[in-house]
Amino acid sequence: MSEIAFLGAVEIGLVYAFVAIGVFLAFRVLDFPDLTVDGSFPLGAAVAAVMITSGIDPWTGCLAAILAGAVAGLVTAFLNQRFGILHLLASILTMIALFSINLRIMGRPNVALINQQTVLTPFYGLGIPDYYVRPLVIFVLVIIVAFLVARFLASDFGLAMRATGVNAKMARAQGVRTGVHIYVGMALANGLVGLAGALFAQTNGFADVTTGIGTIVVGLAAVIVGETLFRPRTIVLALIGCVVGSVIYRVAIQFALGADAIGLKASDLNLVTAVLVAVALILPRLRGRKATT
Amino acid sequence: MIRVSGLDIVFGKGTPLEKQALRGIDFSVPEHEFVSVIGSNGAGKSTLLSAIAGDVLPQAGRIEIGGVDVTRSPTAIRAGKVARVFQDPLAGSCGTLSIEENLALAAARGTKRMLGLAITRNRREMFRQRLTELGLGLEGRLDDQMGLLSGGQRQALALVMATLAGADVLLLDEHTAALDPAMAEFVLDLTQRVVQERKVTTLMVTHSMRQALDHGDRTVMLHEGRIILDVSGHERSNLSVEDLIQMFRDVRGQEIDDDSLLIE
Amino acid sequence: MLKYLAAVAAVGFLAIPAKAEDVTVAVTAIVEHPALDAARDGVRDGLADAGYKVGENLTFLYESAQGNPATAAQIARKYVGDGPTVIVPISTPSAQAVVAATKDIPVVFTAVTDPVGAELVKDAAMPGGNVTGVSDLSPLADHLALIKEITPDAKTIGVIFNPGEANSVTLIEKLKEFAGPAGYEVVEASATKTADVQQAARSLVGKVDVIYVPTDNTVVSALEAAVKVAEENGIPLYAGDTDSVPRGAIAAVGFNYYDIGLQTATIVAKVLKGESPGSIPVMQAEGTNLVVNPGAAKKMGVTIPEAVIKRANTVVQ
């Protein structure tokens, strides 16, 4: 694997680390199986791309992408909390609605950003090659966001959110308004996914309505790979696991792409993903069995 | 402290499984009183507790806590005044959170939860002190996951959690029923101690007539959604378990065939 | 440069036929389907005609992104890292991912409908930079003329397309521009995934006189579903690409994707010989290849005029 290909995989892994953290918040912290992300990722990309092409500052575009993603999460939470629609179903409804909404936002299925000012533009031309600049900038953003999320989950409010996911009845008995925490958690999770979409569009030169396909699988794969590696008992470790898991997932894909020699083809990628996640799920059991025998 | 009037609760209203759990309950508990509640299965004991806590909303009647009408307010809002310990030791705490995280959750009960750190040095000091008083050696295990503890330890911690933030009312829902006898004894003693120290108005539901008579200041018996016995003071201190069964027969005019009432 | 000089010197001294220097051409497509695969094969065969043969002096790489833009981005990074002589991305998202990933390696895109709108090049006539290629914007006026010739009474045209595909949306916009003056009304039916194609086709029954399937990746992938509906209801179905005619469309005029691949290969060969991509104008896909399928026409209740059959380059039996 070449240096550029490796750094490219790391960069895309870091972009998807935001998705992994969002998926972690929904699935693990809130225990809310949320497929909204397949829609909120391209939503973030669409909002940021449209704002950037109309001359608005790219950081503002990222912020708007976060807000748009958050609204998507709120809609799913609303369908679930207000009308009692099963979480999975509520999130699927939001996801398919977002496909149409994303098309409306962009006005067409694909908006190009190749020649636009992005959040990365100021960092190009500092003498460092572009393929270093992108992962570095994204890495710094990931660290900032992971820190903020960890700090949030360590607060009274965040702790109550975690309790909502673990034991809602107990949480309510402790005075936690679980509904509020589900709304806030879902908004936060999808806001992060929206940011990932915005950054993906800016680092890869386009926003396309099809970019959302399989986002949830990628996010879950990253979370599970991270959990297997770190077996985290603290939130900080779990978040680091999300980031590392996401990067490992992308590097594994990159490896599969370059593995013609061992007979793998691009069309085997889905199989690679499934095997990766399955191994990550099976490994802890094997280790557990060894420990007991 | 607690005033319940004309409380009617019906489950599954309008369905073939409709069941009237409470029928026009009138009941009040003055401040600092410790009331034990007994009754056979399905008598409405737990429903009464759930209604006071806010988990079940009544069809008719009114519930006041500390002079405030809370009939329609949700559990989370009442939780500032009402603390609870459940029968199932797993229900009262979060197994995947650490001991200190569980305690921090309880410590913030009744406050507005904001973005301040949940586990501060002051809180940790307070937790350590309270756990030391418990005498279970848990003060050195603040970082351990709650799920690693035994049912009895979790129930003891649930009691600590219930009183951490200071509540006006403590609701105990058969909180020793799932424990082995030695641990049940320990938790009961702890309950006695906590209630006395904290001077908290307490309702304790129990299956055991012995427990009901040995603990608290007053005993209430429920049957088919009605209060059929309410004794305190002298009358109560002279009562034996046999008397209680006899009184139950007199009031109801029927044989008791529910063994669980007799369990010691 | 030194190598180039050495090669020239060798030719001069030894007087053997010029053997092109070993080159690597890396091809990637967003998804695998017959038209895009045909384009890829066209590139390979076209390069062979130009003297670049797989197994001799040409390393020919190919990766499909399986319909996933994130994978397309990873393939782009892999290629840029491998440093091939030329990268040939097929379809819009693949091309955008590659162009965003390199400003140095020559890029010759193909099967992109609107390269300027996709920001691949600033100016189709003078691309500049490291990018040029072939646009596959359909010759829509020719398509409408063919529809008029075979089914003169048709007044409304139903189009099935995926509103999520950039190429298709551009096509439909252009089609409407042409349709009005030609006296046609356009009725749209959208299918966002292959499983929706049949239902989209059904939604047109009773509302349209003919169905037109543009060069849409989703719909072309599930063309048989649309053909079935057309046959059952006796609605003539036309296609935007000739590869779809043997699969059941009545007729199509224009290019097939294999020819586009061949055309792309001529640009790639120029770049391999040292021309700068930026100085090669973006080409429009060409070919007035007429393919008809009288058998399919019969099933849809239409007889193709003898004149059209005579003129056809290929008659599917």
Side-chain angles (χ1 to χ4, degrees):
Chain A
M1 193 185 301
S2 68
E3 191 186 7
I4 292 179
F6 176 75
L7 288 171
V10 170
E11 170 202 323
I12 295 169
L14 288 170
V15 168
Y16 275 89
F18 295 103
V19 175
I21 294 174
V23 168
F24 171 77
L25 284 174
F27 275 68
R28 291 291 191 258
V29 173
L30 283 178
D31 195 21
F32 192 121
D34 177 30
L35 305 188
T36 315
V37 292
D38 273 29
S40 44
F41 186 88
L43 173 67
V47 168
V50 166
M51 289 182 75
I52 289 170
T53 48
S54 52
I56 295 167
D57 171 64
W59 288 108
T60 313
C62 286
L63 202 66
I66 295 174
L67 290 177
V71 170
L74 286 179
V75 170
T76 299
F78 182 69
L79 290 174
N80 171 250
Q81 291 289 305
R82 181 70 179 75
F83 301 110
I85 300 174
L86 187 71
H87 7 51
L88 215 52
L89 188 58
S91 66
I92 290 174
L93 291 176
T94 313
M95 176 186 88
I96 59 167
L98 280 173
F99 186 86
S100 305
I101 290 169
N102 293 341
L103 275 173
R104 282 273 174 180
I105 290 172
M106 297 204 289
R108 59 206 140 123
N110 180 297
V111 171
L113 291 172
I114 295 171
N115 301 317
Q116 304 291 334
Q117 293 278 319
T118 68
V119 292
L120 292 141
T121 313
F123 302 100
Y124 292 145
L126 293 176
I128 313 166
D130 290 359
Y131 53 88
Y132 275 102
V133 169
R134 286 190 293 248
L136 273 176
V137 173
I138 309 284
F139 180 70
V140 171
L141 289 177
V142 168
I143 294 300
I144 293 171
V145 165
F147 172 79
L148 289 176
V149 170
R151 176 60 183 75
F152 170 76
L153 290 176
S155 69
D156 274 322
F157 191 92
L159 188 59
M161 184 181 287
R162 294 171 64 196
T164 300
V166 180
N167 186 343
K169 186 181 178 192
M170 175 268 193
R172 278 191 292 275
Q174 297 299 342
V176 174
R177 294 166 68 185
T178 50
V180 171
H181 286 84
I182 289 172
Y183 279 111
V184 173
M186 287 294 288
L188 187 60
N190 284 284
L192 290 175
V193 176
L195 174 62
L199 292 173
F200 182 86
Q202 294 178 58
T203 50
N204 290 291
F206 64 96
D208 193 288
V209 284
T210 61
T211 27
I213 298 167
T215 306
I216 184 61
V217 178
V218 176
L220 264 183
V223 169
I224 292 168
V225 169
E227 282 174 351
T228 311
L229 285 177
F230 289 88
R231 292 199 266 174
R233 294 202 33 241
T234 66
I235 286 291
V236 174
L237 265 184
L239 292 174
I240 295 174
C242 289
V243 177
V244 175
S246 179
V247 170
I248 286 179
Y249 174 81
R250 285 296 163 188
V251 172
I253 296 283
Q254 198 75 39
F255 179 76
L257 282 174
D260 299 341
I262 60 167
L264 279 176
K265 290 169 65 178
S267 50
D268 299 330
L269 280 183
N270 288 348
L271 183 65
V272 171
T273 303
V275 169
L276 199 68
V277 175
V279 167
L281 288 171
I282 295 165
L283 216 59
R285 294 182 189 211
L286 292 181
R287 275 199 294 224
R289 200 178 301 166
K290 246 180 228 159
T292 52
T293 48
Chain B
M1 177 54 63
I2 306 173
R3 183 189 301 276
V4 173
S5 47
L7 197 63
D8 269 348
I9 288 182
V10 183
F11 290 120
K13 198 172 173 66
T15 72
L17 296 171
E18 178 173 311
K19 179 177 186 326
Q20 178 131 24
L22 293 180
R23 302 163 195 266
I25 296 272
D26 290 302
F27 173 61
S28 60
V29 185
E31 213 169 338
H32 305 327
E33 195 171 60
F34 183 169
V35 182
S36 58
V37 181
I38 49 173
S40 54
N41 282 332
K45 312 177 299 266
S46 289
T47 307
L48 178 62
L49 246 59
S50 295
I52 295 171
D55 280 356
V56 178
L57 292 180
Q59 273 66 34
R62 184 181 159 88
I63 300 170
E64 281 175 40
I65 296 173
V68 180
D69 182 357
V70 296
T71 315
R72 293 279 136 204
S73 52
T75 310
I77 301 296
R78 296 188 208 185
K81 294 176 184 164
V82 180
R84 258 196 302 173
V85 181
F86 300 102
Q87 176 176 3
D88 177 4
L90 304 182
S93 47
C94 291
T96 56
L97 299 188
S98 68
I99 293 176
E100 64 181 353
E101 283 167 340
N102 272 285
L103 290 169
L105 266 173
R109 181 162 45 75
T111 66
K112 200 160 171 52
R113 292 170 203 266
M114 303 298 275
L115 294 175
L117 271 182
I119 296 168
T120 56
R121 188 171 306 188
N122 284 344
R123 271 192 185 167
R124 189 174 281 153
E125 207 37 62
M126 174 179 69
F127 298 159
R128 200 163 276 143
Q129 192 195 326
R130 292 292 301 271
L131 293 188
T132 311
E133 288 169 19
L134 209 54
L136 288 172
L138 294 175
E139 60 275 10
R141 299 177 61 186
L142 281 174
D143 279 335
D144 278 8
Q145 274 198 358
M146 201 67 166
L148 297 173
L149 302 188
S150 72
Q153 287 171 320
R154 279 181 86 155
Q155 231 31 1
L157 271 182
L159 262 174
V160 172
M161 286 164 64
T163 54
L164 213 49
D168 300 334
V169 173
L170 176 61
L171 303 176
L172 307 169
D173 188 1
E174 300 193 44
H175 67 307
T176 62
L179 307 180
D180 64 69
M183 204 65 216
E185 193 63 31
F186 174 82
V187 171
L188 264 180
D189 287 347
L190 180 68
T191 307
Q192 192 76 43
R193 213 165 75 210
V194 163
V195 170
Q196 266 159 18
E197 276 170 18
R198 303 276 149 186
K199 302 225 181 314
V200 57
T201 310
T202 304
L203 274 182
M204 178 176 79
V205 167
T206 173
H207 252 102
S208 157
M209 296 222 175
R210 173 94 277 137
Q211 266 184 24
L213 291 179
D214 287 356
H215 299 275
D217 318 309
R218 174 180 165 194
T219 298
V220 167
M221 186 187 273
L222 284 172
H223 187 74
E224 290 181 349
R226 290 195 178 85
I227 293 177
I228 57 167
L229 181 78
D230 189 342
V231 288
S232 55
H234 251 312
E235 192 189 356
R236 179 174 179 271
S237 46
N238 293 328
L239 274 179
S240 68
V241 172
E242 289 71 31
D243 296 336
L244 212 52
I245 293 172
Q246 192 52 52
M247 286 176 80
F248 182 80
R249 284 195 182 126
D250 294 346
V251 174
R252 297 301 310 164
Q254 68 184 62
E255 290 292 316
I256 300 175
D257 49 24
D258 183 355
D259 286 339
S260 61
L261 253 178
L262 307 170
I263 285 174
E264 204 38 50
Chain C
M1 192 63 194
L2 271 177
K3 275 187 191 170
Y4 179 66
L5 284 176
V8 170
V11 170
F13 284 115
L14 301 170
I16 53 166
K19 182 179 183 299
E21 199 180 332
D22 282 2
V23 294
T24 302
V25 173
V27 182
T28 178
I30 188 69
V31 68
E32 286 169 306
H33 76 65
L36 299 186
D37 294 352
R40 173 200 61 201
D41 296 344
V43 171
R44 193 187 53 219
D45 296 352
L47 285 173
D49 295 346
Y52 298 95
K53 290 197 170 67
V54 176
E56 292 178 23
N57 55 351
L58 170 69
T59 308
F60 192 84
L61 305 175
Y62 171 72
E63 298 282 6
S64 147
Q66 306 291 310
N68 188 329
T71 310
Q74 282 199 267
I75 292 170
R77 307 307 168 86
K78 168 180 148 60
Y79 280 169
V80 171
D82 291 347
T85 325
V86 178
I87 301 177
V88 180
I90 305 174
S91 79
T92 304
S94 286
Q96 285 171 323
V98 169
V99 171
T102 183
K103 290 181 173 58
D104 312 312
I105 300 173
V107 178
V108 181
F109 60 79
T110 190
V112 171
T113 303
D114 183 9
V116 176
E119 292 193 6
L120 300 174
V121 293
K122 289 215 173 69
D123 179 355
M126 258 325 280
N130 62 326
V131 185
T132 187
V134 177
S135 156
D136 68 350
L137 184 63
S138 297
L140 292 163
D142 295 345
H143 290 176
L144 292 175
L146 183 68
I147 292 172
K148 183 151 270 175
E149 196 174 355
I150 298 177
T151 42
D153 297 335
K155 286 281 166 278
T156 50
I157 301 178
V159 283
I160 311 173
F161 72 109
N162 180 355
E165 281 189 34
N167 288 348
S168 310
V169 173
T170 309
L171 269 178
I172 303 305
E173 280 168 11
K174 303 258 186 218
L175 178 70
K176 284 186 190 157
E177 284 173 24
F178 287 113
Y184 286 113
E185 190 196 332
V186 175
V187 179
E188 298 175 21
S190 66
T192 54
K193 49 186 189 293
T194 50
D196 296 342
V197 170
Q198 186 169 23
Q199 199 184 351
R202 285 217 183 96
S203 76
L204 294 173
V205 173
K207 284 194 254 175
V208 301
D209 302 321
V210 299
I211 293 174
Y212 172 70
V213 174
T215 51
D216 178 290
N217 291 325
T218 307
V219 182
V220 170
S221 294
L223 183 74
E224 284 76 9
V227 168
K228 187 160 174 277
V229 173
E231 285 176 354
E232 282 168 5
N233 297 283
I235 305 171
L237 183 141
Y238 294 87
D241 69 301
T242 52
D243 294 318
S244 291
V245 179
R247 295 171 66 197
I250 288 185
V253 62
F255 44 79
N256 64 34
Y257 275 81
Y258 182 78
D259 291 339
I260 292 183
L262 292 177
Q263 199 180 348
T264 308
T266 64
I267 301 182
V268 176
K270 281 186 197 168
V271 174
L272 289 175
K273 295 208 167 73
E275 245 182 88
S276 161
S279 63
I280 306 171
V282 172
M283 291 173 83
Q284 203 66 38
E286 58 190 37
T288 43
N289 196 17
L290 174 62
V291 181
V292 295
N293 187 341
K298 201 174 165 196
K299 285 184 197 160
M300 293 168 189
V302 177
T303 313
I304 300 176
E306 206 52 41
V308 176
I309 294 180
K310 276 207 179 109
R311 210 173 71 226
N313 303 62
T314 311
V315 178
V316 178
Q317 292 306 325

